[in-house]
Amino acid sequence: MRVNRILLSTSLVVVALVVQVSVLARLHLPGAVPDLLLLTVLGLALVYGHVGGALIGFGAGLLADLAPPADHAAGRYALVLCVIGYLAGLFKPDNGKLKSATGPMVVVVVAALGTTLLYAGVGALVGDTTARHVGLGSLLFTAALYDLLLAPFVVPGIMALARRAENDPLAETSTQAKKADISSGWLSGGTGLRIGGQRGGLKVRAARARTARAGRIKGVKRL
């Protein structure tokens, strides 16, 4: 990953984690907690692709595992966000631009449900039965609802920042094309070196030289 990707991703992940722990987790909403960290990973994965999404998801999840007041085994959320970031990166647009908001919203809903299921599944493997007491159905519904309501305010902004920090190959291509047009115009007009004019002038000079040579030969024969 490039340096600008690492700096931007780290900054966004840290800010999202701080806001989630200090603000969203204290709202005491029924069911799940709005997962701002997940939305940040999704926004970056939709720009950087599956490899970048997996790496960012793992790092973000590991920070969440270690940040207080975490009460679960370290690496649990890192594994979940790594898988979710990889899968979300597979839906990265080919041209880097989204045609509609339907695709990202579907990705958010599926990611919210998948994150809850994977987190509960990994917890069941390590002996954590919290999801059973709270109710898995209510957790799935509230997680999808909260993340879907929060996504329009987070995901587009994250993607815009990632594209701006990223050197867009499409922008570079258009810039190079403009430079080529400017340079060709400069060569043909600004300096006065017109290729077509040069060819025409050379043809005229060659014709004049042949005519003069023919005249000399005829003059010699007359003598």
Side-chain angles (χ1 to χ4, degrees):
M1 295 177 68
R2 299 177 181 178
V3 176
N4 54 354
R5 289 188 179 187
I6 297 175
L7 293 177
L8 178 63
S9 302
T10 303
S11 303
L12 293 176
V13 166
V14 170
V15 171
L17 181 61
V18 171
V19 173
Q20 182 168 339
V21 172
S22 60
V23 178
L24 298 180
R26 298 183 179 182
L27 294 178
H28 300 291
L29 296 174
V33 176
D35 200 340
L36 183 61
L37 194 61
L38 171 63
L39 297 179
T40 303
V41 172
L42 293 179
L44 294 173
L46 290 174
V47 177
Y48 295 150
H50 58 282
V51 177
L55 294 176
I56 295 171
F58 179 80
L62 188 60
L63 286 178
D65 290 332
L66 299 177
D71 56 353
H72 55 269
R76 180 176 171 184
Y77 202 49
L79 174 62
V80 173
L81 284 188
C82 180
V83 175
I84 296 298
Y86 178 86
L87 295 177
L90 296 176
F91 295 93
K92 172 188 175 183
D94 295 333
N95 57 357
K97 296 182 180 180
L98 297 172
K99 297 181 180 179
S100 65
T102 305
M105 293 301 102
V106 173
V107 172
V108 169
V109 174
V110 175
L113 298 176
T115 301
T116 305
L117 289 174
L118 285 175
Y119 188 81
V122 175
L125 293 176
V126 297
D128 186 2
T129 60
T130 305
R132 296 180 182 178
H133 300 290
V134 177
L136 185 58
S138 63
L139 284 177
L140 291 173
F141 176 76
T142 53
L145 179 61
Y146 296 155
D147 291 346
L148 186 61
L149 293 176
L150 188 61
F153 304 98
V154 178
V155 177
I158 296 295
M159 296 180 67
L161 288 174
R163 289 198 191 99
R164 184 172 297 181
E166 185 75 3
N167 293 326
D168 192 1
L170 296 177
E172 292 179 357
T173 303
S174 62
T175 303
Q176 291 176 359
K178 290 180 180 178
K179 290 181 180 179
D181 294 339
I182 295 172
S183 61
S184 62
W186 179 78
L187 288 174
S188 62
T191 59
L193 299 176
R194 297 183 179 179
I195 298 175
Q198 286 182 346
R199 291 180 179 177
L202 292 176
K203 290 181 179 179
V204 172
R205 292 178 184 176
R208 289 178 180 177
R210 286 196 297 268
T211 303
R213 187 179 301 172
R216 293 172 185 171
I217 294 174
K218 289 181 180 180
V220 173
K221 288 182 177 181
R222 288 177 181 177
L223 293 176

